[in-house]
Amino acid sequence: MGVRAAVWGLLALLGCGPALANDSTGFLGTGGIELARTDAIEMRSEDLRIGLDEIRVSYVFRNVTDKPVDTLVAFPLPDIDLSRGLTEAAWGFPQQVDDFLGFRLWIDDQPVQPALERRAIFKGRDVTDRVAAAGALALVPWAAGAYDQIAKTLDPAALARLRADGLIQAGEDDNTPQWRLRARYHWRQIFPPGRDVRVRHVYRPFVGTALIGRVASIDGRKAVGRYLGDRPDPSGDRYCLDAATRRTLAAAQAKHPPPAMPYSAAEIEYIVTTARNWRGPIGRFHLTIDKGAPDNLVSLCWNGLTKTGPTTFESTITDFVPDRDIRLLVFVRSQAP
């Protein structure tokens, strides 16, 4: 079986040339929390559930020293390159608000409200102060209306300064921002000596969906739709799509040619390989994949998955050191015959 997180809002007709660029939605990977680098804290366990509706992660941390550790903990949202415009990128945000992933957090089973920080990054430089002074942090792709409409609410002189600095340029809109929006939730966390601290968070995945035009065009070695991240896939195989899945899709397509093809595709990427700043490996890593419905098909590159229910597959690894991110491709079966 082929087993970073994302779901798209618009649909793409795959294998039809230019239609892919015009009709698909872009997606990005998300992941888990990040600690400031420390050798004082171990991750005793991580339980990760990835579904089309929700990502759930539960951690158990242990301070192995004899003194309290006070550190910053963050949950980074994926960087969003605003220079891509709105139509070309076709962002499929789970919800149209600043908190577009609906992030929720509990520490030792008590709800915690983390701070949400947004920064503007332009050519590797932090330009947040300049952008914020002009009121231009309001130029976000999930706000109602195009960038030009939002720009009308800004001070014209401040907008002209941003344009002179190259921070605003004509693109799809006359006032297209050129910076990357970098956002994160963060909070201070005290880890008492010799005691477990349980951290749990839940959010909606940044998912991409697409209609399937030609099954043969899906090779499982690259994103089915448009992945808008920067990092290439070093493995050259994103989803490890196996022969049995291909046969099932081909048979469905032969019986129901497009546009009647009963399967669409959904992609999720969960990043596990970055910012592992605690001490040693993850003591126990438990992964649950939920494909959403019994008739759906799932493909990902992961060894040792066991089917545990009509829609779930699970894997447990001890002393886990992640060496690749989790890229999930789900073929969603429609209710139509």
Side-chain angles (χ1 to χ4, degrees), residues 203-218:
Y203 62 92
R204 295 176 64 182
F206 205 153
V207 185
T209 58
L211 293 179
I212 300 174
R214 292 185 299 109
V215 170
S217 70
I218 304 175

Side-chain angles (χ1 to χ4, degrees), residues 215-254:
V215 170
S217 70
I218 304 175
D219 62 7
R221 305 185 68 82
K222 57 183 181 294
V224 172
R226 287 181 300 161
Y227 175 62
L228 298 177
D230 292 328
R231 298 183 304 154
D233 181 4
S235 73
D237 199 344
R238 286 184 68 86
Y239 304 117
C240 296
L241 191 61
D242 63 14
T245 302
R246 292 177 189 277
R247 286 194 297 269
T248 300
L249 293 172
Q253 187 173 60

